[in-house]
Amino acid sequence: MPKGQIRKALSGFYYVKDGDRFVQCRGRGVFRNRQISPLVGDFVDYEAENDREGTITHVHERKNELIRPPIANIDQAILVFSAKEPDFHPLLLDRFLTVIESYDIEPVIILTKMDLPDAEEKERLARYSEDYRAIGYEVFHVMKGDESLAAELLPLLAGNTSVLAGQSGVGKSTLLNTLLPELELKTGVISDALNRGKHTTRHVELIEVNGGLLADTPGFSSLDFNHIEKEELSGYFPEMAERSPACKFRECLHTNEPKCAVKAAVQSGGIPEYRYTHYVQFLEEIMERKPRY
């Protein structure tokens, strides 16, 4: 049976890439009964009706799946935050990082507009960048007119299925236009997607770029923790996950428990205090969530 990957979903059709061709497919009716909804990024089996049309018969197991945007099997999230206008907020970045980690997606952090802050602000941003690099995240700084940008960032896309995310106004579309001028000329879709109006048809599409796939989507619109349990949260903070096994209690929440290795690391400076503060805020949010039945 032929196999392929869904690269676009639109108006009830799924466009499956199989080798060098696209096959327009419908989902099998039985999927609805089983509450299975094929997603862009899914690897599927399909029955070919002819060279251009078919029916999806099986969806292979997913590495991960997102609800907003509806997409599966993402390897990497490129998080775009501005240094200024709007100002950089580590709380919002940590929220993105926590959600992305929970879906087993590798984050990459890009700080744009690094030519705007004054010397004192640049020093503060440099400290944040070093903190996140020490945790294990890649952090890139982008300045206006940086001609080396494409050479530095395009390799990130190779071999990965990536989604772009970040708050409004941080320069995502400018970044894409700098990185992918040839894609802009070919399709005109990615930059448009980042500025879609509320009443414009929205769809998700994976586009081949530099040996990888980039999702044509406005990015994460859901940053809640409804899918995360309180015992899981610290596992999505890599520096806490590393130290948790040394805590006295196996399900230590790193708040009031004695002999907590995470709190000890905060006190010694091994974990930035602001990261721990954000963790406690997120934990309180999860614990105040209404029970699900």
Side-chain angles (χ1 to χ4, degrees), residues 13-273:
F13 288 101
Y14 302 97
Y15 296 85
V16 176
K17 179 79 182 295
D18 181 0
D20 294 329
R21 64 177 181 147
F22 278 92
V23 182
Q24 179 180 283
C25 293
R26 291 276 193 186
R28 206 172 208 170
V30 71
F31 286 164
R32 286 190 291 275
N33 300 331
R34 296 179 187 170
Q35 296 186 321
I36 297 172
S37 179
L39 296 175
V40 170
D42 273 333
F43 294 95
V44 299
D45 299 339
Y46 68 95
E47 290 178 349
E49 295 164 15
N50 52 54
D51 285 346
R52 301 184 64 182
E53 296 175 308
T55 303
I56 293 172
T57 57
H58 177 69
V59 175
H60 291 263
E61 186 176 352
R62 294 166 178 157
K63 171 185 175 179
N64 51 43
E65 63 180 274
L66 305 177
I67 299 170
R68 294 192 295 272
I71 194 167
N73 299 314
I74 293 293
D75 300 312
Q76 177 175 258
I78 299 172
L79 302 181
V80 186
F81 278 71
S82 60
K84 205 169 178 66
E85 297 178 9
D87 291 343
F88 173 71
H89 288 293
L91 176 63
L92 182 59
L93 174 56
D94 283 345
R95 195 173 187 92
F96 268 97
L97 288 170
T98 303
V99 171
I100 286 162
E101 289 275 6
S102 74
Y103 287 114
D104 190 27
I105 296 171
E106 186 73 26
V108 175
I109 301 165
I110 296 180
L111 285 180
T112 62
K113 307 183 187 180
M114 282 297 291
D115 48 305
L116 297 182
D118 60 30
E120 185 178 335
E121 290 169 326
K122 281 184 178 175
E123 190 176 321
R124 182 177 66 92
L125 290 164
R127 287 197 299 270
Y128 278 126
S129 297
E130 287 310 307
D131 286 343
Y132 286 107
R133 289 185 181 119
I135 292 167
Y137 296 126
E138 286 191 272
V139 182
F140 295 88
H141 289 178
V142 173
M143 299 180 72
K144 190 175 182 180
D146 186 352
E147 293 181 1
S148 66
L149 183 61
E152 192 175 9
L153 297 183
L154 275 175
L156 292 174
L157 302 176
N160 288 310
T161 299
S162 304
V163 63
L164 201 73
Q167 67 186 122
S168 178
V170 298
K172 293 192 295 293
S173 54
T174 302
L175 179 68
L176 279 168
N177 289 339
T178 302
L179 286 178
L180 312 171
E182 75 288 352
L183 184 68
E184 179 74 11
L185 290 172
K186 283 181 190 173
T187 66
V189 291
I190 285 195
S191 292
D192 292 342
L194 296 172
N195 294 292
R196 285 189 179 125
K198 289 181 180 177
H199 304 294
T200 308
T201 300
R202 296 169 73 98
H203 73 278
V204 178
E205 184 173 356
L206 285 172
I207 298 169
E208 295 180 8
V209 183
N210 201 47
L213 296 171
L214 181 62
D216 165 23
T217 160
F220 288 68
S221 56
S222 176
L223 285 173
D224 59 48
F225 303 130
N226 288 339
H227 61 294
I228 300 175
E229 300 301 329
K230 64 181 188 293
E231 296 83 5
E232 301 169 344
L233 180 63
S234 66
Y236 305 132
F237 282 69
E239 70 276 39
M240 296 186 188
E242 182 184 334
R243 293 170 170 89
S244 290
C247 292
K248 180 179 179 180
F249 297 102
R250 181 180 292 178
E251 293 193 349
C252 184
L253 294 179
H254 319 302
T255 52
N256 302 314
E257 300 89 341
K259 296 185 179 179
C260 170
V262 168
K263 285 191 295 181
V266 175
Q267 290 166 2
S268 69
I271 293 177
E273 191 168 340

